[in-house]
């Protein structure tokens, strides 16, 4: 089957239609609802369509985090999901490239930063992201929590990643 073009649109939380935002949140809840973390509110939503059908989405936040006790301006990617029938056709990759464009052009981010399950880290590596050792910590209602799986970053400027332990300085995304 010839591969169909993936169209990606990115809208801020203020711009996105309320119905679409509610649909994305229901969908994200179905896929990630069993993960027992409290998450940061999304500031941007990327949606992917093939032939006008909604097939994937991800969210973005802008955050000042810390690595090796240095402040780092990051664009945080989360809630990456492609509908099962559309997987392995480059939908996630197209959304990650669009997210990178927004991080550069609108968020003034020095790095992209995301946390993910070990099994899906290759998706982000394919988009140029690299694993960092961390450990990565973030705020939760019960106290500071260490993430047990992978953290990946994307260098967006000449600044090198400081390395060392990472503090998301708030809720995770
Ligand atoms: C993970 C997920 C978003 C990938 O979406 P996708 O649109 O199928 O990904 P792409 O087609 O853009 O894949 C790009 C590359 O990533 C890698 N990849 C894709 N899915 C993968 C998976 N499940 N495990 C490991 N590597 C994967 C492949 O190298 C792929 O390139 P290839 O098909 O040329 O080999 C999708 O499987 C999904 O929604 N899973 C459930 C939710 C989830 O786990 N999200 C991640 C949260 S951290």
């Amino acid at each position: 089957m010839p591969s169909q073009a993936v169209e990606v649109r990115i809208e801020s939380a203020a711009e996105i239609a309320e119905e679409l935002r509610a649909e994305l949140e229901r969908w994200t809840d179905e896929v990630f609802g069993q993960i027992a973390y409290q998450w940061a509110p999304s500031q941007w939503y990327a949606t992917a369509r093939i032939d006008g059908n909604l097939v994937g989405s991800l969210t973005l936040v802008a955050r000042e985090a810390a690595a090796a006790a240095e402040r780092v301006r990051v664009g945080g990617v989360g809630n990456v999901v492609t509908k099962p029938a559309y997987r392995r056709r480059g939908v996630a990759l197209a959304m990650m490239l669009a997210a990178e464009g927004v991080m550069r052009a609108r968020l003034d981010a020095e790095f992209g930063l995301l946390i993910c399950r070990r099994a899906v880290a290759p998706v982000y590596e394919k988009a140029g992201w690299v694993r960092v050792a961390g450990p990565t910590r973030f705020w939760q209602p019960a106290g500071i929590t260490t993430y047990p799986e992978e953290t990946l970053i994307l260098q967006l400027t000449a600044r090198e990643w400081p390395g060392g332990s990472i503090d998301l300085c708030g809720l995770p995304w």
Side-chain angles (χ1 to χ4, degrees):
M1 185 171 53
S3 68
Q4 297 149 294
V6 182
E7 278 174 56
V8 181
R9 187 182 308 161
I10 301 199
E11 294 159 292
S12 70
E15 291 161 347
I16 192 166
E18 180 50 32
E19 253 173 44
L20 176 58
R21 196 193 58 76
E23 182 182 349
L24 297 179
E25 286 186 1
R26 273 196 304 277
W27 185 15
T28 316
D29 266 3
E30 276 168 35
V31 179
F32 301 110
Q34 77 291 358
I35 304 174
Y37 289 130
Q38 187 174 325
W39 302 100
S42 303
Q43 295 169 340
W44 299 81
Y45 296 83
T47 46
R49 289 176 179 74
I50 293 179
D51 286 341
N53 300 310
L54 183 63
V55 298
S57 73
L58 62 73
T59 58
L60 278 171
V61 299
R63 179 74 64 82
E64 194 164 280
E70 291 181 29
R71 309 301 293 179
V72 282
R73 290 194 314 278
V74 304
V77 173
N79 299 307
V80 185
V81 53
T82 300
K83 286 193 173 158
Y86 293 90
R87 288 182 188 165
R88 302 306 284 248
R89 297 195 203 177
V91 172
L93 189 58
M95 294 191 295
M96 291 302 291
L97 295 178
E100 177 181 343
V102 168
M103 285 183 225
R104 289 180 188 278
R106 301 186 70 174
L107 305 190
D108 191 29
E110 298 168 292
F111 303 96
L113 198 160
L114 64 83
I115 59 174
C116 71
R117 288 181 296 117
R118 201 149 284 134
V120 291
V123 175
Y124 308 111
E125 289 174 320
K126 187 114 186 191
W129 293 58
V130 295
R131 296 183 208 216
V132 289
T136 296
R137 299 193 180 87
F138 48 75
W139 189 85
Q140 287 291 281
I144 299 297
T145 301
T146 300
Y147 188 61
E149 301 213 33
E150 294 288 350
T151 301
L152 289 94
I153 62 114
L154 180 70
Q155 188 179 337
L156 297 170
T157 69
R159 185 178 178 193
E160 299 282 338
W161 180 250
S165 61
I166 298 164
D167 182 353
L168 299 187
C169 299
L171 291 169
W173 50 80

